[in-house]
Amino acid sequence: MIVGVGLDLCLISRMERALSRSDGRFAARVFTDGERKYCDGKASPSQHYAARFAAKEAILKALHVPNGLSWHELEVIQGSHGGPAIALHGAARQAAERLGVSKLHVSLTHQGDSASAVVIAER
């Protein structure tokens, strides 16, 4: 049974500006070490950062925007199937457990100046 759906869009150019203005502080505040390593290893890091930011926003929406979460508690990882997957930590994991979420499905895409993500929370 689906208990939540989240969808978000992030402009790649906006992410690129945020990353370049903050001398790494923005990326460190919002993204985990693993996410930064993955994105920085790509030819166009900003498009991958933008997709992951959209995923984090989509996760919040799918979990009904619980209070008190840290960006690092919402993590986009490489799944066993090779595509993206979601790992929840701390308060984010607890919020998912309260909703009875047993699985989170995620899909990321980027085209032109846009990156988007959809997350489905399943019980």
Side-chain angles (χ1 to χ4, degrees), residues 16-29:
E16 192 167 8
R17 283 192 304 276
L19 292 167
S20 66
R21 279 195 310 246
S22 67
D23 195 31
R25 291 183 313 276
F26 173 77
R29 187 176 72 245

Side-chain angles (χ1 to χ4, degrees), residues 1-6 58-66 69 74 86-89 91-106 119-123:
M1 173 203 280
I2 294 174
V3 295
V5 175
I59 294 165
L60 290 174
K61 293 170 184 175
L63 296 179
H64 307 287
V65 194
L69 299 187
L74 313 166
I86 296 170
L88 299 178
H89 312 285
R93 173 179 239 139
Q94 293 169 354
E97 288 171 355
R98 280 193 300 277
L99 288 171
V101 173
S102 59
K103 177 110 175 112
L104 288 168
H105 305 271
V106 61
V119 172
I120 298 172
E122 181 182 358
R123 180 178 316 162

Side-chain angles (χ1 to χ4, degrees), residues 7-103:
L7 172 68
D8 198 71
L9 175 75
C10 180
L11 293 178
I12 295 168
S13 58
R14 185 173 180 210
M15 179 59 62
E16 192 167 8
R17 283 192 304 276
L19 292 167
S20 66
R21 279 195 310 246
S22 67
D23 195 31
R25 291 183 313 276
F26 173 77
R29 187 176 72 245
V30 176
F31 301 99
T32 66
D33 290 342
E35 289 171 322
R36 292 193 314 272
K37 182 178 179 182
Y38 176 85
C39 294
D40 289 340
K42 297 297 185 179
S44 180
S46 57
Q47 77 180 12
H48 297 278
Y49 276 112
R52 275 148 185 77
F53 187 81
K56 289 173 184 266
E57 291 282 346
I59 294 165
L60 290 174
K61 293 170 184 175
L63 296 179
H64 307 287
V65 194
N67 292 324
L69 299 187
S70 159
W71 288 114
H72 284 223
E73 294 175 339
L74 313 166
E75 185 175 19
V76 179
I77 61 172
Q78 289 304 112
S80 59
H81 58 283
I86 296 170
L88 299 178
H89 312 285
R93 173 179 239 139
Q94 293 169 354
E97 288 171 355
R98 280 193 300 277
L99 288 171
V101 173
S102 59
K103 177 110 175 112

